[in-house]
Amino acid sequence: SLGMIIHLIRSGVGKIYLIDRDQVEDANFCRQEFPADSIGKPKAQAAAEMLHAMFPSIDIVYCNADFLTMTAEFIDKHFGDVDCWIGATDNGLCQRKVNQVALRQGVSAVFVGLYANANAGEIIWNHPDEPCCLACLVSKRLAAQEAAEPGALDPPSDGVLLSDVAIVDGVATHIVLALLTRGEDNRFGRLIDQLDGRQFIQISLRPDWLFGGRD
């Protein structure tokens, strides 16, 4: 999300790629940071314009396109210098492709999402040195999404607020920084090793909600 990108830029990340096929709609304002005059604009363009206004010196490249239609050759040509992919989308097929690209390129990937009705959120990450990736961590989910109609099992955004997104994005930002600085002698550089192989975080946003249980 935009909030995570802002956190990363303020933390020292100097180049950002944005890929999104959608346009900004009225419904986005309760859960995303777009200004009101962004309605109707492609999301990637609107985000890049907002970020350029806030951080003029940051290198931001945006692409108004469907990531699922991009070939491996196109991705490697235009996004071959990525250090960490972030799949901040509720589209399971898109997350799966981000996972495949990161594995092929030998770089880290972080996947961020909220569950239906913002009951909870999750952060999953890959690193070339870790034993698992998204495909094995949530294999049943990916198999179900593959078998269903496109988008049928994607969690709806109804009821999601910007504050819900911000909580999960805050944790995800720490994971991204930890992956980018792994091995450095600071709290982020030590974080991934301190997690000792754990690559899946779930955050409850509702006290009476049970993971894997009832709604």
Side-chain angles (χ1 to χ4, degrees):
S1 75
L2 274 171
M4 188 192 311
I5 296 171
I6 292 170
H7 295 325
L8 291 171
I9 292 174
R10 291 188 185 278
S11 299
V13 173
K15 185 171 185 178
I16 301 289
Y17 290 104
L18 303 172
I19 306 172
D20 201 306
R21 68 181 182 182
D22 294 329
Q23 292 185 329
V24 181
E25 301 175 350
D26 289 338
N28 297 131
F29 288 105
C30 66
R31 55 183 177 270
Q32 296 176 352
E33 296 87 343
F34 291 109
D37 62 1
S38 297
I39 293 178
K41 288 184 179 180
K43 281 187 176 180
Q45 176 186 341
E49 290 174 353
M50 189 185 101
L51 294 169
H52 271 304
M54 296 176 66
F55 310 101
S57 63
I58 295 299
D59 187 1
I60 301 174
V61 179
Y62 69 89
C63 186
N64 304 318
D66 186 347
F67 187 66
L68 288 173
T69 66
M70 294 181 182
T71 65
E73 293 76 16
F74 181 90
I75 292 171
D76 290 345
K77 177 181 178 180
H78 295 280
F79 313 110
D81 61 343
V82 168
D83 295 309
C84 181
W85 285 88
I86 301 174
T89 172
D90 54 12
N91 186 305
L93 297 180
C94 188
Q95 285 197 330
R96 184 184 64 179
K97 184 166 182 176
V98 170
N99 180 65
Q100 293 169 341
V101 171
L103 291 174
R104 189 182 73 249
Q105 293 182 343
V107 298
S108 301
V110 177
F111 306 90
V112 189
L114 284 167
Y115 300 159
N117 302 311
N119 288 321
E122 69 179 26
I123 303 103
I124 301 172
W125 64 94
N126 304 345
H127 185 278
D129 294 338
E130 298 293 346
C132 296
C133 70
L134 182 78
C136 57
L137 290 167
V138 291
S139 57
K140 291 183 179 180
R141 180 197 303 176
L142 293 178
Q145 290 168 336
E146 176 69 19
E149 291 293 322
L153 299 181
D154 295 344
S157 298
D158 297 346
V160 176
L161 298 178
L162 181 57
S163 55
D164 301 316
V165 177
I167 292 171
V168 180
D169 277 357
V171 178
T173 299
H174 280 222
I175 296 298
V176 174
L177 292 174
L179 290 166
L180 292 174
T181 63
R182 189 173 186 179
E184 297 293 327
D185 188 20
N186 57 55
R187 66 191 179 102
F188 293 112
R190 293 187 291 268
L191 178 57
I192 297 300
D193 292 330
Q194 289 171 337
L195 290 172
D196 194 26
R198 287 170 288 182
Q199 298 171 251
F200 197 147
I201 295 175
Q202 291 179 303
I203 302 169
S204 176
L205 299 173
R206 208 180 91 183
D208 62 343
W209 193 77
L210 301 176
F211 290 104
R214 61 176 178 80
D215 183 9

